Amino acid sequence: MASYLCPRDGTRADTTSLTWCCTLCGGPRDLNFEPAGPMSLNSLTGRVNSLWRYEEVLPLASPTTSLGEGRTPLVPLTDTVSAKLDYLMPTLSFKDRGAVMLAELARRLAPERVVADSSGNAGTAVAAYCARASLPCTVYVPEGTSPKKTEQIRAHGAHLEIVPGDRETTARAARAAADAPGTFYASHVFNPYFLHGTKTYVYELWEDLGGRLPDAIAVPVGNGTLLLGAALATAELHAQGLIDERPALIAVQAEAASPLATAFHTGSDDLLGAPTGTPAPTSPTLAEGIAIPCPPRARAVLAAVRASGGTFLTVTEAQIRAAQLDLAARGFYVETTGVACWAAVGGRTDLEIVVPLCGAGLKTGLAP
């Protein structure tokens, strides 16, 4: 049976609880969960063509909330760099991988309401899957969120709360609402079920590459949910003897908003100034989806990158613009956040690397 476990103080909680953070330290929790595995490539033949095909390693089974998410194409871009087309998800971003887990869990817990906060993509995903699960949902977004994303949230029937201020202000507003009795906080940052959804990204790579993984996996990092999911999957695959070595995790941030990259390259194991101070200041960036000044799982993200032998890279606004146009010229129309990894590693020839194209260009349009 799975249970919540605080990585800082060891506090445990039952997964039927609506408490959304550690009651002792207030931080995010991990999921104490052991996969039923091992899997084999042959065992996957004939299974459902969605992320739910990896049932042995998922903390939930037999979903009714699915929209067919997962199993996105893997397409070569150069001789050494390939792209995973996660913008071809039901809500047009990789956040569907985790949102379906949150909505399925919420459906089983039957709360009075669901609350989420987002810079856009996670909110649209939670809104869609709550609609699928017939759950009332409120999504908090910061002012300045792409109109296309707020339009999508409303279209799925969720109530939209636009919060004056930045992403951190929005998160605080949602967390205050999440404290109300009968509320399920569908947080893609605090709830570890989300990470067990995003880890399926790597299981799909392993299957598509015939039972192996590339030398490196590059991921854009704001709150770090895709990177932490990738770290979970590589650890599980290695523990099951399904891969010999774990790939390096290359974390990519916008230069204008790179508190984790700054901490990594200065040797810190947490955000600079944390927990009582403030991290390095951030500036507006085209990569709005990863412009997170104070990610709650910063310590875990930094540790995961170091443990993998990976690194942090940053990209400029000019590189983001150029990468978006370059991918469009190759036939891929991707939102500005989703091109960050291509901007960072597209020219590499020394490693086999996979990058995610995380969100559709229709969500933000072309960079100005």
Side-chain angles (χ1 to χ4, degrees):
M1 295 293 291
S3 62
Y4 293 127
L5 174 67
C6 178
R8 286 181 178 266
D9 54 46
T11 301
R12 293 178 181 268
D14 195 279
T15 55
T16 60
S17 169
L18 293 180
T19 305
W20 56 268
C21 64
C22 173
T23 55
L24 190 60
C25 72
R29 301 172 296 193
D30 294 336
L31 194 65
N32 187 36
F33 165 73
E34 289 294 330
M39 292 189 304
S40 68
L41 288 176
N42 289 338
S43 72
L44 298 174
T45 302
R47 292 193 184 185
V48 61
N49 193 37
S50 74
L51 62 81
W52 296 97
R53 68 198 279 110
Y54 309 111
E55 59 185 358
E56 294 95 334
V57 300
L58 296 177
L60 297 173
S62 304
T64 63
T65 312
S66 177
L67 292 168
E69 57 287 331
R71 300 295 293 138
T72 55
L74 180 65
V75 179
L77 295 176
T78 70
D79 289 341
T80 55
V81 181
S82 296
K84 184 90 165 121
L85 309 190
D86 259 26
Y87 70 90
L88 299 179
M89 287 280 200
T91 76
L92 308 181
S93 90
F94 88 93
K95 295 289 176 62
D96 289 9
R97 293 186 183 274
V100 68
M101 290 288 172
L102 297 184
E104 180 64 21
L105 177 61
R107 184 191 67 80
R108 299 179 188 199
L109 298 180
E112 295 175 20
R113 69 193 65 81
V114 174
V115 166
D117 61 282
S118 169
S119 60
N121 283 340
T124 60
V126 170
Y129 284 94
C130 281
R132 182 71 166 173
S134 300
L135 291 167
C137 177
T138 298
V139 179
Y140 289 73
V141 300
E143 61 183 354
T145 298
S146 166
K148 290 296 183 183
K149 294 178 181 179
T150 57
E151 176 185 312
Q152 189 177 3
I153 291 169
R154 287 192 176 101
H156 291 307
H159 176 70
L160 187 69
E161 288 282 352
I162 298 177
V163 180
D166 60 12
R167 183 66 181 84
E168 288 300 306
T169 305
T170 303
R172 287 194 294 270
R175 291 166 196 167
D179 286 332
T183 302
F184 179 87
Y185 184 25
S187 172
H188 59 293
V189 182
F190 275 81
N191 194 307
Y193 275 86
F194 193 93
L195 307 181
H196 284 267
T198 61
K199 77 181 181 184
T200 59
Y201 174 88
V202 170
Y203 277 95
E204 290 179 20
L205 290 181
W206 171 78
E207 182 180 1
D208 290 342
L209 293 173
R212 65 177 185 87
L213 290 175
D215 300 321
I217 298 172
V219 292
V221 172
N223 277 306
T225 54
L226 183 54
L227 184 138
L228 292 174
L232 273 173
T234 56
E236 290 173 359
L237 286 165
H238 189 262
Q240 294 176 51
L242 297 174
I243 56 173
D244 294 328
E245 295 182 4
R246 303 187 201 183
L249 299 177
I250 300 175
V252 179
Q253 294 201 294
E255 186 178 279
S258 53
L260 287 165
T262 300
F264 181 87
H265 290 298
T266 56
S268 175
D269 63 358
D270 208 335
L271 292 180
L272 299 181
T276 58
T278 57
T282 61
S283 301
T285 174
L286 293 167
E288 62 179 13
I290 52 173
I292 309 297
C294 195
R297 293 187 184 270
R299 182 180 290 268
V301 171
L302 292 165
V305 174
R306 289 196 174 101
S308 75
T311 190
F312 268 83
L313 302 175
T314 60
V315 291
T316 66
E317 300 304 288
Q319 287 175 307
I320 292 171
R321 290 185 183 92
Q324 188 183 38
L325 291 173
D326 180 67
L327 283 171
R330 297 168 184 261
F332 306 99
Y333 188 32
V334 184
E335 69 170 331
T336 45
T337 297
V339 306
C341 290
W342 176 242
V345 304
R348 295 282 292 265
T349 59
D350 57 324
L351 296 172
E352 181 189 14
I353 305 175
V354 173
V355 301
L357 303 186
C358 294
L362 294 174
K363 286 175 171 280
T364 57
L366 283 173

